[in-house]
Amino acid sequence: MTAGHRRRAALAAAEALAPPRVAGHLTRLVGLTLEARGLRASIGDRCLIETVEGDGHEAEVVGFANDRVLLMPAGSPEGLAVDARVRPMGRGGRVPVGIALQGRVVDARGLALDDGPPIRCDDAARLIAPPMNPLQRQPITAPLDVGVRAINALLTVARGQRIGLFAGSGVGKSVLLGMMARHTAADVIVVGLIGERGREVREFVEQILTPEERRRSVVVAAPADAPPLLRLQGAWYATAIAEYFRDRGAAVLLLMDSLTRFAQAQREIGLAVGEAPASKGYPPSVFARLPQLVERSGMGLSGTGSITAFYTVLTEGDDLQDPVADSARAILDGHVVLSRRLADAGHFPAIDVEASISRVMPAVADARHLERARRLRGAISRYEQARDLVALGAVKSGADPQLDRVLAAWPQVQGFLQQAPDESATLPASLAALAQLDGVL
């Protein structure tokens, strides 16, 4: 019997021995949290709250306080009244997954948001899967072509890597995500639009994804006006879909926009149930949830596929020391920082090469590639150090031969780093352009 079978047998035995679930009644609403008495249920159970009109509101058990059960509604609490009956519905941790999701846009519960027919999936998966044994994962050995020249050449991404896109508002992170969705060599693309503006959902689907990409994509949308419980579930659901395809041998590209909104949803729930804030208003549960989500992507077991994941991280006020950004940097395999200064100057994609890093690049790039990338990064750093002096005209030709070469080649460097959204730069073409640029530095 495998470890997975033993774990499932133990869970089944525990559920058989668990005390029966008993209905209760609603006592009050405090902020975002509902309180019920007489309810016997466990954390994660789904409950149905009856209204005076005979409708039902779904909620999830998120905590306890003495003899009270704390629930978070999955929708608007309108229509609920004191003493409303609360009936436990059992575990709500399984979600529909399957091939039928490809080409569709769904909400955090798997319901269709597009104009297509109802979605019928033959399989279901746990919303929050148990952690994978790290020693059983396949090693990272192959680069992944993302179609963006600056990333392919200087921040090479590996198949199965988890990387963050750190950016403030309005510096082009959605456009960069769209470029990678359009140009990355992947079998399946899973997009999680978590906590973003509802307008951006339609724009991403209709304007950023081409018809070809839409056919191999699954978009999970939990916009900003969704309750925090659904925003959390949207991120878990997108990850569960990616795991489903990975376990069937597919190379999956997971684009999560954004990890910060996931953290903010967890913060809302944590504070609502009485958890004390720890860092800039974020309770400890936020920093426990982040690695639980991120660690589920990556390489699969032997004989399965991979999940290469890009998580956007919103830096408030362009502050890279924001608690969520700082925590994300520590648990991801690298980060790409987008610069507001470059975006304001019309430089797209606005990748700050000096502040960005790919931690697995040495494992998938050869020595010549690494040396050329190192020299170009050094040239960019050299220019940035002298940028103000160059603008003032205080740099004299001949005083620093190395700087002279960098200044002479700077138009070519800028042309190398910039790329139009509809332009594709394959990995071989990116390396060839890097080699050509290296010859003039």
Side-chain angles (χ1 to χ4, degrees), residues 100-181:
L101 291 171
Q102 283 190 279
R104 304 302 301 273
V105 182
V106 298
D107 66 7
R109 290 169 288 194
L111 302 177
L113 293 177
D114 53 23
D115 296 330
I119 301 173
R120 294 180 174 84
C121 293
D122 297 329
D123 295 302
R126 291 184 61 177
L127 188 64
I128 303 179
M132 187 183 300
N133 185 337
L135 297 182
Q136 295 180 353
R137 286 183 183 266
Q138 299 178 76
I140 290 178
T141 57
L144 180 70
D145 187 351
V146 299
V148 181
R149 187 164 45 246
I151 296 178
N152 278 342
L154 302 178
L155 305 163
T156 308
V157 174
R159 193 176 296 275
Q161 183 176 358
R162 290 79 59 95
I163 196 163
L165 293 180
F166 290 70
S169 58
V171 296
K173 62 178 176 58
S174 296
V175 176
L176 183 57
L177 281 180
M179 290 176 67
M180 290 187 289

Side-chain angles (χ1 to χ4, degrees), residues 67-83:
D67 61 339
R68 294 167 292 142
V69 176
L70 307 179
L71 304 105
M72 185 68 61
S76 171
E78 292 183 9
L80 298 181
V82 175
D83 288 333

Side-chain angles (χ1 to χ4, degrees), residues 1 18 25 29 39 59 81 104 116 197 201 238 255 259 261 276 280 283 293 301 307 310 336 342 348 364 413 421 424:
M1 181 182 289
H25 62 277
L29 167 66
L39 178 66
R104 304 302 301 273
R197 294 182 292 271
V201 176
L255 305 176
L259 195 65
R261 303 303 187 201
K280 289 191 177 181
L293 178 70
L301 303 176
I307 301 175
F310 285 86
V336 176
L342 292 175
F348 290 103
V364 296
V413 173
S424 175

Side-chain angles (χ1 to χ4, degrees), residues 376 379-380 383 401-417 436-441:
L376 180 52
I380 295 171
Y383 177 84
Q402 182 185 11
L403 180 58
D404 290 344
R405 289 196 301 272
V406 172
L407 293 178
W410 190 247
Q412 294 172 260
V413 173
Q414 286 187 305
F416 176 86
L417 297 176
Q436 183 178 5
L437 186 59
D438 185 64
V440 298
L441 290 174

